[in-house]
Amino acid sequence: MRQKRAKAYRKLMALYSMSFGFRQPYQVLIDSEMCKMAISQNIDFVKQLGIVLQGMVKPMITQCCIHELYLQGKAQQPAVDLAKMFERRKCNHKEAIAGDDCVSSVIGDTNKHRYVVATQSQPLRVKLRSIPGVPILHVNRSVMILEPPSDTTLRAKALVESEALNPSTSEAAKLKAAAPAPPEPPKKRKGPKGPNPLSVKKKKKVADQQPATKSKDKDKGKAKATPKVIQSPAETNAVVGEKRKRGNDDEPVDGGREEKDAHSGRKRRRKRKGTTAAEPSDPPSIS
Ligand SMILES: [Zn+2]
């Protein structure tokens, strides 16, 4: 047997041992066709079983299977002789039934006695693949082959492993009670922490200036005055005059002038424009 295949079989039998409780000596159920094949292919059957399963083996045959061989007469005497060497498995079938049916009845739904089955019957092999944890052997061109695990077997293995890893429902409940509640994730602020620091600075400026509206206006006047000084001294004087008026009144821009120019709305507007825009032509008109 090639090393690669030997390794694969060793791993496979380890799977059956770990997940399904198979132990040496492995009990191998052998059907009548397999006995005949062993004789016709001149296989040292028991030795081959030990090599493939990589351990001690206990070859077995059911009463019904050996009965099948008896029925085939003298021609199958060597196969009968081989079968007689095996341990007889009582199947309790009062009247012998077909070998396949007998083997599948012995295996049952769960293969609770952990048999390995050596059979040449294709339908029986298909049937056994649907039962978890049944190693299946067959002979192909005088080579004994251990089938790869069936999907059912692999699913059962995964289930066993998950049960071993995960706590049961009662255990999970206990764990849940013991474990502290996970801390709530901190809430994310949607907006910025506070007002923009730049905006705060601006507000401070406004707050400083607001109570002293008059002084602001004065400043305005001064700001206006500086460029106007360059233009003409008369204009600067006029601006100063305005400033004085404003200093006296709460509403410096409109109040004083409104009284003066109450009769004409247009004029008033013009003068207001003049104060805001500080057109050089306005101050002379006031004076
Ligand atoms: Zn039987």
Side-chain angles (χ1 to χ4, degrees):
M1 191 162 59
R2 283 188 186 164
Q3 199 147 4
K4 198 177 166 187
R5 197 140 52 93
K7 192 182 175 185
Y9 288 170
R10 189 161 58 246
K11 280 179 80 176
L12 189 43
M13 288 318 290
L15 184 157
Y16 287 120
S17 299
M18 296 287 281
S19 301
F20 300 98
F22 278 69
R23 295 286 177 270
Q24 292 185 46
Y26 301 120
Q27 304 182 104
V28 187
L29 280 180
I30 299 147
D31 73 353
S32 58
E33 282 302 307
M34 186 59 94
C35 292
K36 288 196 297 191
M37 178 66 89
I39 298 301
S40 66
Q41 299 286 332
N42 204 17
I43 298 169
D44 189 344
F45 193 79
V46 178
K47 191 186 169 189
Q48 280 296 307
L49 278 180
I51 289 168
V52 168
L53 299 182
Q54 304 190 30
M56 289 182 289
V57 292
K58 191 199 272 184
M60 301 175 94
I61 192 161
T62 66
Q63 290 170 322
C64 298
C65 284
I66 205 164
H67 188 78
E68 260 184 350
L69 283 176
Y70 285 141
L71 289 177
Q72 288 175 21
K74 288 277 177 188
Q76 296 301 332
Q77 192 57 46
V80 170
D81 292 341
L82 178 67
K84 276 181 175 174
M85 290 164 63
F86 303 156
E87 186 174 312
R88 202 72 52 86
R89 169 62 160 89
K90 281 181 184 172
C91 58
N92 297 325
H93 297 125
K94 283 173 185 172
E95 282 187 25
I97 59 169
D100 286 10
D101 297 339
C102 183
V103 169
S104 59
S105 79
V106 168
I107 295 294
D109 294 331
T110 57
N111 191 19
K112 68 171 182 175
H113 297 294
R114 301 184 187 97
Y115 290 115
V116 179
V117 179
T119 177
Q120 291 298 95
S121 163
Q122 190 66 39
L124 180 59
R125 274 154 60 193
V126 169
K127 195 176 178 184
L128 291 176
R129 280 176 206 138
S130 65
I131 299 159
V134 185
I136 303 166
L137 290 164
H138 71 278
V139 171
N140 185 20
R141 290 189 218 158
S142 77
V143 176
M144 193 177 285
I145 289 165
L146 177 61
E147 275 193 14
S150 67
D151 291 344
T152 317
T153 296
L154 289 176
R155 271 200 297 276
K157 178 210 166 204
L159 190 71
V160 166
E161 282 176 353
S162 72
E163 274 174 1
L165 283 171
N166 299 328
S168 66
T169 47
S170 60
E171 282 174 333
K174 275 182 193 172
L175 282 172
K176 215 177 184 180
E184 284 180 17
K187 282 178 185 175
K188 278 185 183 177
R189 280 201 193 86
K190 274 183 182 177
K193 228 177 183 180
N196 184 346
L198 289 171
S199 75
V200 168
K201 252 187 180 177
K202 273 181 187 172
K203 269 181 184 173
K204 271 178 186 171
K205 268 184 186 173
V206 170
D208 290 340
Q209 286 170 358
Q210 265 177 350
T213 42
K214 291 162 196 174
S215 67
K216 185 186 170 186
D217 285 349
K218 274 176 195 172
D219 291 346
K220 244 189 186 178
K222 276 175 193 172
K224 283 172 198 168
T226 39
K228 276 163 198 168
V229 170
I230 301 156
Q231 283 174 355
S232 67
E235 283 176 4
T236 57
N237 289 339
V239 171
V240 170
E242 267 187 26
K243 206 167 75 184
R244 277 176 201 156
K245 280 174 195 170
R246 282 172 204 163
N248 295 333
D249 297 331
D250 284 341
E251 294 175 27
V253 182
D254 294 335
R257 275 177 232 159
E258 227 176 311
E259 282 171 12
K260 278 183 185 174
D261 312 322
H263 38 274
S264 69
R266 281 183 193 173
K267 269 186 184 176
R268 195 167 58 104
R269 250 184 247 157
R270 245 171 70 193
K271 276 159 199 170
R272 273 172 92 186
K273 266 186 188 173
T275 51
T276 49
E279 280 172 294
S281 59
D282 273 1
S285 70
I286 292 163
S287 64

PDB file of all heavy atoms in Angstrom, residues 7-22:
ATOM      1  N   LYS A   7      -1.609   6.794   4.877  1.00  0.00           N
ATOM      2  CA  LYS A   7      -1.835   7.958   5.740  1.00  0.00           C
ATOM      3  C   LYS A   7      -3.315   8.336   5.746  1.00  0.00           C
ATOM      4  O   LYS A   7      -3.893   8.633   6.808  1.00  0.00           O
ATOM      5  CB  LYS A   7      -0.993   9.138   5.235  1.00  0.00           C
ATOM      6  CG  LYS A   7      -0.937  10.283   6.222  1.00  0.00           C
ATOM      7  CD  LYS A   7      -0.141  11.440   5.642  1.00  0.00           C
ATOM      8  CE  LYS A   7      -0.188  12.644   6.569  1.00  0.00           C
ATOM      9  NZ  LYS A   7       0.487  13.809   5.947  1.00  0.00           N
ATOM     10  N   ALA A   8      -3.901   8.303   4.550  1.00  0.00           N
ATOM     11  CA  ALA A   8      -5.328   8.643   4.443  1.00  0.00           C
ATOM     12  C   ALA A   8      -6.170   7.675   5.264  1.00  0.00           C
ATOM     13  O   ALA A   8      -7.091   8.084   5.984  1.00  0.00           O
ATOM     14  CB  ALA A   8      -5.757   8.613   2.979  1.00  0.00           C
ATOM     15  N   TYR A   9      -5.842   6.369   5.180  1.00  0.00           N
ATOM     16  CA  TYR A   9      -6.601   5.354   5.922  1.00  0.00           C
ATOM     17  C   TYR A   9      -6.387   5.504   7.424  1.00  0.00           C
ATOM     18  O   TYR A   9      -7.318   5.323   8.212  1.00  0.00           O
ATOM     19  CB  TYR A   9      -6.181   3.951   5.473  1.00  0.00           C
ATOM     20  CG  TYR A   9      -6.658   3.570   4.082  1.00  0.00           C
ATOM     21  CD1 TYR A   9      -6.181   2.423   3.446  1.00  0.00           C
ATOM     22  CD2 TYR A   9      -7.600   4.337   3.402  1.00  0.00           C
ATOM     23  CE1 TYR A   9      -6.613   2.064   2.183  1.00  0.00           C
ATOM     24  CE2 TYR A   9      -8.030   3.989   2.141  1.00  0.00           C
ATOM     25  CZ  TYR A   9      -7.531   2.849   1.521  1.00  0.00           C
ATOM     26  OH  TYR A   9      -7.964   2.496   0.280  1.00  0.00           O
ATOM     27  N   ARG A  10      -5.161   5.876   7.800  1.00  0.00           N
ATOM     28  CA  ARG A  10      -4.879   6.048   9.228  1.00  0.00           C
ATOM     29  C   ARG A  10      -5.706   7.206   9.777  1.00  0.00           C
ATOM     30  O   ARG A  10      -6.310   7.130  10.850  1.00  0.00           O
ATOM     31  CB  ARG A  10      -3.374   6.314   9.420  1.00  0.00           C
ATOM     32  CG  ARG A  10      -2.932   6.283  10.884  1.00  0.00           C
ATOM     33  CD  ARG A  10      -1.431   6.083  11.027  1.00  0.00           C
ATOM     34  NE  ARG A  10      -0.650   7.108  10.358  1.00  0.00           N
ATOM     35  CZ  ARG A  10       0.143   6.881   9.309  1.00  0.00           C
ATOM     36  NH1 ARG A  10       0.268   5.676   8.785  1.00  0.00           N
ATOM     37  NH2 ARG A  10       0.828   7.872   8.761  1.00  0.00           N
ATOM     38  N   LYS A  11      -5.754   8.276   8.998  1.00  0.00           N
ATOM     39  CA  LYS A  11      -6.549   9.440   9.405  1.00  0.00           C
ATOM     40  C   LYS A  11      -8.025   9.088   9.489  1.00  0.00           C
ATOM     41  O   LYS A  11      -8.731   9.518  10.407  1.00  0.00           O
ATOM     42  CB  LYS A  11      -6.360  10.589   8.399  1.00  0.00           C
ATOM     43  CG  LYS A  11      -5.088  11.366   8.614  1.00  0.00           C
ATOM     44  CD  LYS A  11      -4.931  12.460   7.597  1.00  0.00           C
ATOM     45  CE  LYS A  11      -5.767  13.679   7.944  1.00  0.00           C
ATOM     46  NZ  LYS A  11      -5.522  14.786   6.975  1.00  0.00           N
ATOM     47  N   LEU A  12      -8.460   8.280   8.499  1.00  0.00           N
ATOM     48  CA  LEU A  12      -9.883   7.911   8.452  1.00  0.00           C
ATOM     49  C   LEU A  12     -10.266   7.044   9.651  1.00  0.00           C
ATOM     50  O   LEU A  12     -11.306   7.266  10.288  1.00  0.00           O
ATOM     51  CB  LEU A  12     -10.149   7.174   7.139  1.00  0.00           C
ATOM     52  CG  LEU A  12     -11.593   6.884   6.761  1.00  0.00           C
ATOM     53  CD1 LEU A  12     -12.482   8.083   7.021  1.00  0.00           C
ATOM     54  CD2 LEU A  12     -11.651   6.479   5.303  1.00  0.00           C
ATOM     55  N   MET A  13      -9.394   6.096   9.987  1.00  0.00           N
ATOM     56  CA  MET A  13      -9.699   5.243  11.141  1.00  0.00           C
ATOM     57  C   MET A  13      -9.600   6.048  12.442  1.00  0.00           C
ATOM     58  O   MET A  13     -10.342   5.771  13.399  1.00  0.00           O
ATOM     59  CB  MET A  13      -8.751   4.033  11.190  1.00  0.00           C
ATOM     60  CG  MET A  13      -9.024   2.984  10.110  1.00  0.00           C
ATOM     61  SD  MET A  13     -10.771   2.631   9.818  1.00  0.00           S
ATOM     62  CE  MET A  13     -11.192   1.765  11.326  1.00  0.00           C
ATOM     63  N   ALA A  14      -8.732   7.058  12.451  1.00  0.00           N
ATOM     64  CA  ALA A  14      -8.660   7.948  13.627  1.00  0.00           C
ATOM     65  C   ALA A  14      -9.978   8.701  13.778  1.00  0.00           C
ATOM     66  O   ALA A  14     -10.482   8.879  14.895  1.00  0.00           O
ATOM     67  CB  ALA A  14      -7.501   8.923  13.463  1.00  0.00           C
ATOM     68  N   LEU A  15     -10.558   9.109  12.641  1.00  0.00           N
ATOM     69  CA  LEU A  15     -11.865   9.782  12.661  1.00  0.00           C
ATOM     70  C   LEU A  15     -12.926   8.876  13.276  1.00  0.00           C
ATOM     71  O   LEU A  15     -13.675   9.295  14.177  1.00  0.00           O
ATOM     72  CB  LEU A  15     -12.251  10.173  11.235  1.00  0.00           C
ATOM     73  CG  LEU A  15     -13.541  10.966  10.995  1.00  0.00           C
ATOM     74  CD1 LEU A  15     -13.440  11.716   9.683  1.00  0.00           C
ATOM     75  CD2 LEU A  15     -14.784  10.087  10.963  1.00  0.00           C
ATOM     76  N   TYR A  16     -12.937   7.619  12.793  1.00  0.00           N
ATOM     77  CA  TYR A  16     -13.944   6.683  13.320  1.00  0.00           C
ATOM     78  C   TYR A  16     -13.715   6.418  14.810  1.00  0.00           C
ATOM     79  O   TYR A  16     -14.660   6.252  15.576  1.00  0.00           O
ATOM     80  CB  TYR A  16     -13.919   5.374  12.526  1.00  0.00           C
ATOM     81  CG  TYR A  16     -14.520   5.502  11.141  1.00  0.00           C
ATOM     82  CD1 TYR A  16     -13.761   5.240  10.000  1.00  0.00           C
ATOM     83  CD2 TYR A  16     -15.854   5.866  10.973  1.00  0.00           C
ATOM     84  CE1 TYR A  16     -14.307   5.354   8.727  1.00  0.00           C
ATOM     85  CE2 TYR A  16     -16.397   5.989   9.711  1.00  0.00           C
ATOM     86  CZ  TYR A  16     -15.623   5.734   8.594  1.00  0.00           C
ATOM     87  OH  TYR A  16     -16.176   5.855   7.356  1.00  0.00           O
ATOM     88  N   SER A  17     -12.455   6.393  15.211  1.00  0.00           N
ATOM     89  CA  SER A  17     -12.154   6.150  16.624  1.00  0.00           C
ATOM     90  C   SER A  17     -12.562   7.341  17.488  1.00  0.00           C
ATOM     91  O   SER A  17     -13.185   7.170  18.537  1.00  0.00           O
ATOM     92  CB  SER A  17     -10.655   5.888  16.794  1.00  0.00           C
ATOM     93  OG  SER A  17     -10.289   4.745  16.053  1.00  0.00           O
ATOM     94  N   MET A  18     -12.214   8.538  17.009  1.00  0.00           N
ATOM     95  CA  MET A  18     -12.455   9.736  17.810  1.00  0.00           C
ATOM     96  C   MET A  18     -13.939  10.085  17.892  1.00  0.00           C
ATOM     97  O   MET A  18     -14.447  10.404  18.965  1.00  0.00           O
ATOM     98  CB  MET A  18     -11.697  10.934  17.196  1.00  0.00           C
ATOM     99  CG  MET A  18     -10.204  10.791  17.201  1.00  0.00           C
ATOM    100  SD  MET A  18      -9.494  10.980  18.849  1.00  0.00           S
ATOM    101  CE  MET A  18      -9.507  12.756  18.985  1.00  0.00           C
ATOM    102  N   SER A  19     -14.611  10.027  16.740  1.00  0.00           N
ATOM    103  CA  SER A  19     -15.983  10.532  16.685  1.00  0.00           C
ATOM    104  C   SER A  19     -17.041   9.458  16.900  1.00  0.00           C
ATOM    105  O   SER A  19     -18.170   9.777  17.269  1.00  0.00           O
ATOM    106  CB  SER A  19     -16.221  11.218  15.335  1.00  0.00           C
ATOM    107  OG  SER A  19     -15.312  12.285  15.165  1.00  0.00           O
ATOM    108  N   PHE A  20     -16.687   8.189  16.640  1.00  0.00           N
ATOM    109  CA  PHE A  20     -17.712   7.145  16.715  1.00  0.00           C
ATOM    110  C   PHE A  20     -17.341   6.010  17.665  1.00  0.00           C
ATOM    111  O   PHE A  20     -18.067   5.028  17.768  1.00  0.00           O
ATOM    112  CB  PHE A  20     -18.009   6.599  15.313  1.00  0.00           C
ATOM    113  CG  PHE A  20     -18.505   7.661  14.365  1.00  0.00           C
ATOM    114  CD1 PHE A  20     -17.645   8.281  13.485  1.00  0.00           C
ATOM    115  CD2 PHE A  20     -19.840   8.040  14.370  1.00  0.00           C
ATOM    116  CE1 PHE A  20     -18.108   9.275  12.627  1.00  0.00           C
ATOM    117  CE2 PHE A  20     -20.315   9.026  13.518  1.00  0.00           C
ATOM    118  CZ  PHE A  20     -19.439   9.649  12.650  1.00  0.00           C
ATOM    119  N   GLY A  21     -16.210   6.129  18.323  1.00  0.00           N
ATOM    120  CA  GLY A  21     -15.859   5.166  19.362  1.00  0.00           C
ATOM    121  C   GLY A  21     -15.376   3.816  18.867  1.00  0.00           C
ATOM    122  O   GLY A  21     -15.526   2.816  19.578  1.00  0.00           O
ATOM    123  N   PHE A  22     -14.810   3.775  17.670  1.00  0.00           N
ATOM    124  CA  PHE A  22     -14.278   2.498  17.177  1.00  0.00           C
ATOM    125  C   PHE A  22     -13.013   2.148  17.950  1.00  0.00           C
ATOM    126  O   PHE A  22     -12.197   3.019  18.243  1.00  0.00           O
ATOM    127  CB  PHE A  22     -13.959   2.594  15.671  1.00  0.00           C
ATOM    128  CG  PHE A  22     -15.152   2.394  14.789  1.00  0.00           C
ATOM    129  CD1 PHE A  22     -16.153   3.345  14.741  1.00  0.00           C
ATOM    130  CD2 PHE A  22     -15.283   1.250  14.005  1.00  0.00           C
ATOM    131  CE1 PHE A  22     -17.263   3.171  13.932  1.00  0.00           C
ATOM    132  CE2 PHE A  22     -16.391   1.068  13.197  1.00  0.00           C
ATOM    133  CZ  PHE A  22     -17.379   2.032  13.159  1.00  0.00           C
TER     134      PHE A  22
END
